[in-house]
Amino acid sequence: AVVSTQSTGNVVDCVQNVYSKKLMSDEITGVSANELQFYTSLSATCLQVPLWLLSRMALPGLSEVPLLLLNGLCFHLQSVIAYCLMNLISPVTHSVANTVKRGLLIWLSVMVFGNPVSLYNWLGAGLVIAGVFLYNEAKKLTDLRRRASFRHTASKAILM
């Protein structure tokens, strides 16, 4: 169940990255990173606050309010950075970087909190590392082919 939930989360994240990049690069909509972050945060808040209140059946206590505000601020900053970064790189590169970030956070929790590591955890970490390596190799090959194609086209144009 955990693997299917994680896989579904990754697929949704990738689709969101592609769609967000499309919205930000579309000349008709012209949505900026800040606008996109605002609307996604607003919709997430509208969905999560009622669920949180129903699950707790109470308003937050005074000790929880600063923690909730700090959590919201950190999420806001992370989202703004992610959307600004998405303006600079492709959605696929962003998804790969996000997967690496998740892997590093898991590894950090193992190192800091001493969480036990099972065989499946090691396999997952190896899969992340292998995926990043293969992505980088594929990107290098694609870049080399583009440069070679550009040089070939440019040399043809010079000869004409």
Side-chain angles (χ1 to χ4, degrees):
V2 174
V3 173
S4 63
T5 304
Q6 244 343 311
S7 297
T8 303
N10 283 338
V11 168
V12 169
D13 190 43
C14 292
V15 170
Q16 179 189 358
N17 289 342
V18 170
Y19 187 67
S20 297
K21 180 74 173 192
K22 183 176 171 56
L23 281 175
M24 288 189 293
S25 62
D26 190 1
E27 292 180 16
I28 295 171
T29 57
V31 177
S32 71
N34 289 334
E35 289 173 316
L36 192 58
Q37 199 278 330
F38 171 77
Y39 290 121
T40 55
S41 294
L42 183 63
S43 61
T45 301
C46 290
L47 289 171
Q48 289 180 357
V49 166
L51 291 173
W52 186 73
L53 290 173
L54 284 173
S55 69
R56 303 242 335 184
M57 297 295 184
L59 293 173
L62 288 178
S63 63
E64 294 173 322
V65 171
L67 295 174
L68 288 171
L69 291 174
L70 179 63
N71 183 28
L73 177 67
C74 289
F75 180 75
H76 172 75
L77 293 174
Q78 184 267 333
S79 296
V80 168
I81 291 168
Y83 286 129
C84 290
L85 182 64
M86 200 177 301
N87 271 333
L88 303 174
I89 60 177
S90 76
V92 176
T93 303
H94 187 271
S95 294
V96 170
N98 195 29
T99 302
V100 170
K101 177 193 79 170
R102 290 178 188 183
L104 289 174
L105 287 174
I106 292 168
W107 187 251
L108 184 65
S109 76
V110 169
M111 300 299 285
V112 172
F113 302 116
N115 293 337
V117 181
S118 70
L119 176 63
Y120 290 118
N121 296 124
W122 285 111
L123 289 174
L127 189 62
V128 167
I129 292 168
V132 170
F133 175 76
L134 291 173
Y135 173 76
N136 284 333
E137 291 301 311
K139 189 154 177 64
K140 284 179 196 175
L141 285 173
T142 303
D143 290 345
L144 284 173
R145 287 183 183 145
R146 280 189 188 146
R147 280 190 234 131
S149 175
F150 177 74
R151 277 188 242 135
H152 180 70
T153 306
S155 65
K156 277 183 167 178
I158 291 173
L159 294 175
M160 291 183 170

